[in-house]
Amino acid sequence: MKKRGIFVAGTGTDVGKTYVSALLVKSLRERGMNAGYFKPALSGAVREGERLVPGDAQMVCECAGLPGDPADYVAYCYEPAVSPHLAAQLSGKPIEPDGIMNRFREIASQFDYVLTEGCGGIFCPLRTDSRTLLLTDVASLLGYEVVLVSPSGLGAINAAVLAVQYAQNRGLHLRAVIMNQFEDENFLHQDNKKQIERFTGLEVVPVARNARTISADFLLESSALA
Ligand SMILES: Nc1ncnc2c1ncn2[C@@H]1O[C@H](COP(=O)(O)OP(=O)(O)OP(=O)(O)O)[C@@H](O)[C@H]1O
Ligand SMILES: [Mg+2]
């Protein structure tokens, strides 16, 4: 299914995918675009009585002013704070591509643009039993270009270049790399940016610590909106 949007992946877990996603959805909405959010699978949700609260969706909804229950923006939500394939196994609720796509279609029917946030790093198994389902398979199903969120400090060149090359080997198109918690005056960060640009050929967008806005220009200029 083709719907305007982007897939936000990371070099690893906790690199700032949700932080960046929230600001990008907010930025798109401030431009008057009816942009929404989708999270195919989330583990580590917080239990409140009978309900599981998906933290990532809650943060994006609050920051970007999305309507409704944050849980509606997530296809598969699990309590154990482990890789989604293991959380699904422990919960006895396997992740089905159809389940992801059905929830996606519901969200896509309400929005003109859907920013989808991956889980974990770019290599993230969602299912490892009788069939294999990887995070990159979901990005392929959705047909989106990928924005890769990377840290900015020591190790960033290795992490970002490997992640980009892996995603490209899986047939995905990369739109940009976001270097998160970037410090303009830090010579290591500056050089990492130069090397990531050089070895990936991609646009690299720096995002500062505690940034309150991220310009969505690099999304709007892209074929991600075509
Ligand atoms: N630019 C930033 N400035 C300040 N804090 C940040 C920034 N980016 C991320 N953080 C903080 O770092 C932590 C991890 O970020 P975040 O939850 O966005 O990571 P993630 O990649 O979405 O993780 P997950 O793999 O669990 O989805 C959060 O506490 C978040 O608020
Ligand atoms: Mg997240």
PDB file of all heavy atoms in Angstrom, residues 18 39 56 117, ligand 2:
ATOM      1  N   THR A  18      12.039   8.020  18.866  1.00  0.00           N
ATOM      2  CA  THR A  18      10.767   8.613  19.284  1.00  0.00           C
ATOM      3  C   THR A  18      10.897  10.128  19.424  1.00  0.00           C
ATOM      4  O   THR A  18      10.006  10.883  18.998  1.00  0.00           O
ATOM      5  CB  THR A  18      10.303   8.000  20.624  1.00  0.00           C
ATOM      6  OG1 THR A  18      10.193   6.593  20.458  1.00  0.00           O
ATOM      7  CG2 THR A  18       8.962   8.556  21.051  1.00  0.00           C
ATOM      8  N   LYS A  39       3.307   2.896  14.905  1.00  0.00           N
ATOM      9  CA  LYS A  39       4.366   2.060  15.486  1.00  0.00           C
ATOM     10  C   LYS A  39       3.923   0.611  15.291  1.00  0.00           C
ATOM     11  O   LYS A  39       2.968   0.152  15.928  1.00  0.00           O
ATOM     12  CB  LYS A  39       4.523   2.411  16.970  1.00  0.00           C
ATOM     13  CG  LYS A  39       5.571   1.600  17.701  1.00  0.00           C
ATOM     14  CD  LYS A  39       6.886   2.325  17.847  1.00  0.00           C
ATOM     15  CE  LYS A  39       7.879   1.462  18.635  1.00  0.00           C
ATOM     16  NZ  LYS A  39       9.221   2.043  18.711  1.00  0.00           N
ATOM     17  N   ASP A  56       6.051   5.258  23.599  1.00  0.00           N
ATOM     18  CA  ASP A  56       6.466   5.988  22.400  1.00  0.00           C
ATOM     19  C   ASP A  56       5.283   6.745  21.791  1.00  0.00           C
ATOM     20  O   ASP A  56       5.379   7.948  21.484  1.00  0.00           O
ATOM     21  CB  ASP A  56       7.028   5.017  21.340  1.00  0.00           C
ATOM     22  CG  ASP A  56       8.403   4.504  21.723  1.00  0.00           C
ATOM     23  OD1 ASP A  56       8.811   4.697  22.870  1.00  0.00           O
ATOM     24  OD2 ASP A  56       9.063   3.908  20.843  1.00  0.00           O
ATOM     25  N   GLU A 117       7.472   4.654  13.064  1.00  0.00           N
ATOM     26  CA  GLU A 117       8.695   4.459  13.868  1.00  0.00           C
ATOM     27  C   GLU A 117       8.977   2.974  14.027  1.00  0.00           C
ATOM     28  O   GLU A 117       8.136   2.209  14.494  1.00  0.00           O
ATOM     29  CB  GLU A 117       8.537   5.096  15.260  1.00  0.00           C
ATOM     30  CG  GLU A 117       9.811   4.904  16.089  1.00  0.00           C
ATOM     31  CD  GLU A 117       9.692   5.276  17.573  1.00  0.00           C
ATOM     32  OE1 GLU A 117       8.717   5.946  17.953  1.00  0.00           O
ATOM     33  OE2 GLU A 117      10.596   4.872  18.328  1.00  0.00           O
TER      34      GLU A 117
HETATM   35 MG    MG B   2      11.055   4.748  20.490  1.00  0.00          MG
END
